[in-house]
Amino acid sequence: MARRLRAMGMRGYENGFRLTLISERLAEPIKRRKPTVYFVNSMSDLFHEKVPFDYIHQVFDVMMRARQHTFQVLTKRAERMAEFCRGVEVPGNVWLGVSVENRKYGVPRIPVLRTIRAPVRFLSVEPLLEDLGSIDLNGIQWVIVGGESGWKARPMKPAWVESVKRQCDEARVAFFFKQWGTWGADGEKRSKHANGRRYRGRLWDAMPQLVLGPMS
């Protein structure tokens, strides 16, 4: 995608997929009055090792000033996010999440996320690559589940989704099913649009319910 955008001459992708900090764009959300949900760094990771904490502080300052918006920050660098957030007040309009794709790398990020004081902590279980087994959802408000897409996509089995959904129900955590991806519920390979995002015959679009008061 980065190579494609660079070939199209899209501003900001002159370096392709190489990490690029574009500080002049940081204030753009402040100028937008209409309340918007921003998925921060959809093609990168705010807590990448090469992103200085000073720059991340600038990002958080913008998010704090743009209270009309909701910012969803997702990372695979849970330890670095936790390190940054020590001594930092996470604004009430900033949701923090970690990727949980498998047991080896994804599940260990959950307890690290739980150490961070944030209004909403969420898990992006996408792509779900295997049965996650038993997961501790204490302190988690939202779980997003989805399959992988693209020509190299690996299939997601319905039983894996069912296990996560059951645990969300038991823990009373909001469950959002995003997509099946390239492989359908029946195990057939199609476009992700053809496979859709219906699970158990319906759409699951639950969002976390914010509770006013001290963050835990």
Side-chain angles (χ1 to χ4, degrees), residues 147-151 153 180-184 188-192 195:
E148 196 170 29
S149 56
W151 67 280
W180 283 102
T182 298
W183 296 87
E188 294 297 322
K189 196 172 185 179
R190 310 180 186 87
S191 72
K192 67 177 183 179
N195 284 323

Side-chain angles (χ1 to χ4, degrees), residues 83-95:
E83 179 186 354
F84 172 82
C85 288
R86 281 195 285 271
V88 172
E89 181 180 353
V90 179
N93 59 328
V94 176
W95 302 3

Side-chain angles (χ1 to χ4, degrees), residues 39 72-75 78 81 95-102 106-114 120-127 132 134-146 164 167-168 171 173-178 206 208:
F39 182 36
Q72 299 170 352
V73 181
L74 178 67
T75 186
M81 181 167 68
W95 302 3
L96 300 181
V98 294
S99 297
V100 184
E101 70 276 26
N102 58 20
V107 172
R109 297 182 186 121
I110 302 175
V112 180
L113 174 64
R114 205 166 15 243
V120 171
R121 306 182 191 94
F122 69 94
L123 309 180
S124 178
V125 186
E126 183 189 17
L132 296 181
S134 177
I135 52 178
D136 184 356
L137 295 176
N138 181 48
I140 304 300
Q141 286 76 39
W142 193 31
V143 173
I144 307 160
V145 175
V164 176
Q167 294 182 74
C168 285
V173 173
F175 176 83
F176 188 104
F177 187 72
K178 186 174 177 181

Side-chain angles (χ1 to χ4, degrees), residues 2-16:
R3 287 194 297 267
R4 185 184 308 168
L5 292 172
R6 180 174 60 181
M8 293 168 56
M10 185 70 69
R11 187 169 63 93
Y13 286 92
E14 293 83 0
N15 295 325

